[in-house]
Amino acid sequence: MAGRLEGKATIITGGASGMGKAMAHLFAAEGAKLILADISGKQDEVAASVNTEAYGFQADISNEDDVKALVAFAEEKFGRLDVLCNNAGFGGGMAPLHEQTTELWDKVHSTNIKGAFFGIKYGVISMLKTGGGAIVNTTSASGVVGWKHHSVYGAAKAGVNQLTKTAALDYSDKNIRINAIAPGTIWTGLVEASKTHAEPPADFPVLAGIPLGRWGLAEDIANAALFLASDESKYITGVILPVDGGYSIGFSGMGAERPGIVSVNTDGT
Ligand SMILES: NC(=O)c1ccc[n+]([C@@H]2O[C@H](COP(=O)([O-])OP(=O)(O)OC[C@H]3O[C@@H](n4cnc5c(N)ncnc54)[C@H](O)[C@@H]3O)[C@@H](O)[C@H]2O)c1
């Protein structure tokens, strides 16, 4: 039986770790051909481990020339680009706004929003040549609701949500769909607690604010990305899909305490 992404030429940024790596394995199992882009140098190792035609490409998504070269590499290898997951990003320092620095603002925004802008721009330029495609951006619940101490990061991710909606309109008549996933608290190397706990701890304070009561897993995000990348979502564009265990609903129910709004990049308190 054909896979849900059979033969689709796909780029995943941040493909060497966490959600991007989970997407790589799932997409490969569904028949996609992959370019895994990452700044870390670990992308070739992951590309060699997935069960499909896959290549690593070292790129810093905040660098326009790198993103141009990344898309050109996909065109060289596959002759086209069908799916682009703009997933690379990082949290940055979490602190009250007045303690955040201009340097941090520039660093966080150059990857988390400028990088997404470059990805959408050059992804679209390629897809326009072949008649369409699907772009899936990884943003954050902190770009949907307020998240204490996440002002700089949250502003960048909120910006990507808006880029997603506007770009979806720009290319709605060109058969290019552009959607986003807004993850909540997902157990990856980006989460500070993963440095002290080998497995997602079941009794962590952050879980009190998650109606479904558990950490999200990279696979939860990969499943959503697969849906938005595949033709199953062909009537969906400009959507910001929360994958957060219900976190962004805001309240867990009548009479229940308001869920805590806490940072995942601290010790969880
Ligand atoms: N883990 C969470 O709780 C969480 C929550 C909301 C949003 N997110 C977002 O999800 C996405 C994936 O993060 P993750 O949790 O899988 O983290 P991760 O650290 O496991 O993976 C992120 C990958 O992106 C790469 N990367 C970072 N900056 C880059 C750059 N400038 N150019 C190229 N590659 C770069 C890293 O090397 C890494 O391999 C990010 O955009 C992140 O902001 C994560």
Side-chain angles (χ1 to χ4, degrees), residues 13-21 23 37-43 57-63 66 86-91 107 110-112 115 137-142 147 153 157 181-191 215-216 218 221 243 264-265:
T13 71
S17 174
M19 301 174 195
K21 188 172 170 183
M23 288 176 202
D38 208 285
I39 199 171
S40 67
K42 295 180 185 157
Q43 61 284 341
F57 189 92
Q58 190 155 24
D60 174 357
I61 61 152
S62 69
N63 180 307
D66 277 16
N86 280 315
N87 167 74
F90 67 95
K107 192 170 167 223
S110 66
T111 291
N112 286 305
N137 302 317
T138 308
T139 67
S140 170
S142 68
W147 222 349
Y153 176 75
K157 293 299 196 181
I181 295 167
T185 305
I186 313 298
W187 188 256
T188 69
L190 183 143
V191 173
W215 291 83
I221 305 303
V243 184
V264 292
N265 278 61

Side-chain angles (χ1 to χ4, degrees), residues 7 9 26 107 114 144 152 193 209 226 240 254:
L26 183 61
K107 192 170 167 223
K114 195 168 74 172
V144 177
V152 173
L226 172 62
I240 315 302
M254 290 296 288

Side-chain angles (χ1 to χ4, degrees), residues 114-209:
K114 195 168 74 172
F117 165 66
F118 291 152
I120 296 169
K121 175 172 174 173
Y122 291 101
V124 159
I125 288 171
S126 182
M127 290 170 182
L128 285 173
K129 292 186 259 185
T130 52
I135 295 179
V136 183
N137 302 317
T138 308
T139 67
S140 170
S142 68
V144 177
V145 297
W147 222 349
K148 191 174 171 80
H149 295 172
H150 285 64
S151 53
V152 173
Y153 176 75
K157 293 299 196 181
V160 181
N161 288 341
Q162 198 59 23
L163 280 181
T164 300
K165 292 185 207 174
T166 309
L169 289 175
D170 285 353
Y171 305 104
S172 58
D173 60 345
K174 301 291 183 215
N175 195 33
I176 300 174
R177 297 184 301 105
I178 305 177
N179 292 293
I181 295 167
T185 305
I186 313 298
W187 188 256
T188 69
L190 183 143
V191 173
E192 196 66 24
S194 71
K195 297 183 179 76
T196 49
H197 297 69
E199 298 291 330
D203 58 350
F204 218 57
V206 72
L207 300 180

